[in-house]
Amino acid sequence: MPSKEREPPEERVDRCMTGIEGLDNILNGGVPRGNTILVTGAVGTGKTSMCLEFLVHGALFGETGLFISVTESSEKLLKNIIPYDFFEDRLVKEGRLHFIDIPVMYDRLGLDKPVFDYEEIHILTDAIVGLVREMRIRRLVVDSITSVSYRLKSEEIIREFVLRMGAALSAQECTSLLVSEISPTHERYSTYGVEEAIADGIIVMANLERRGDLLRTLQVVKMRGTQHSRTKYVLDLTTTGVLLVPLLKGGSVAAGGA
């Protein structure tokens, strides 16, 4: 009897290593290349810091990264990453790391309407994908997709924006992190409930109160293209980067890293 054809092993999946050891372990080696990931959580959970680390490690690996800032200036972001031990100024000077403020893009594209319709979204999407293609970007962060969505007219247009951009970036083999801002009591992973259904992956970051202390946590609840742990981890932001330790049942923290 002929043997049944086996599925290709996961090791053959082209992965984008985040450079965050605990997260790469959770994802069985890294994010499948070209995935669009929703990094979601409340204020102060470490979303921006983790996304910046993802870009910096990529630059050190030789992959060009682009950070599109919607809520604060690139100058302020650069000040935030300088204290990290792994950050090197040359990465920006040599063009391995690029930072763009989206208000500048809006001005250059003539997008001055308070509310965007399909036409404006197509213009914005084409411009972002054009930058990715021209600069050979392999890692992209948009911080935040929620702030962009405030200018969109409906859930249908938000869906069109995320779908269109995700498909085009995947075709360029660009792995993307879209930051989603939600309130601590929010029952969905995104403000509008649209982004989470379209994204290839969802990483949830939260604050957990324990014995009067406020811990940051991280949990991968969805990731297409790879097996992954759904365990909740305690996240610590240090000068050496993001550290993850499993959060055990009952709220205790495991000894040792992920």
Side-chain angles (χ1 to χ4, degrees), residues 39 45-53 67 71-72 77 80-81 84 141 143 179 205:
V39 179
T45 53
K47 302 183 299 296
T48 299
S49 294
M50 190 186 75
C51 289
L52 284 168
E53 184 169 349
F67 192 106
T71 54
E72 62 180 322
L77 285 168
N80 288 338
I81 63 174
Y84 288 119
V141 170
D143 187 2
V179 176
M205 302 176 74

Side-chain angles (χ1 to χ4, degrees), residues 36-40 145 158-159 162 178 180-182 186-204 221-224:
T36 299
I37 312 303
L38 199 66
V39 179
T40 184
I145 195 71
I158 295 172
R159 180 182 178 84
V162 179
L178 309 181
S180 174
E181 301 163 350
I182 56 174
H186 211 285
E187 295 180 356
R188 299 187 298 194
Y189 299 124
S190 57
T191 301
Y192 303 97
V194 176
E195 309 92 311
E196 62 200 63
I198 300 171
D200 297 305
I202 301 173
I203 298 176
V204 179
V221 300
K222 170 184 173 182
M223 190 64 63
R224 291 179 182 142

Side-chain angles (χ1 to χ4, degrees), residues 91-112:
L91 298 175
V92 177
K93 295 175 181 177
E94 294 175 1
R96 287 294 182 184
L97 279 178
H98 298 272
F99 295 85
I100 295 178
D101 297 337
I102 208 164
V104 175
M105 289 189 67
Y106 289 160
D107 288 342
R108 291 176 180 174
L109 297 171
L111 299 177
D112 53 0

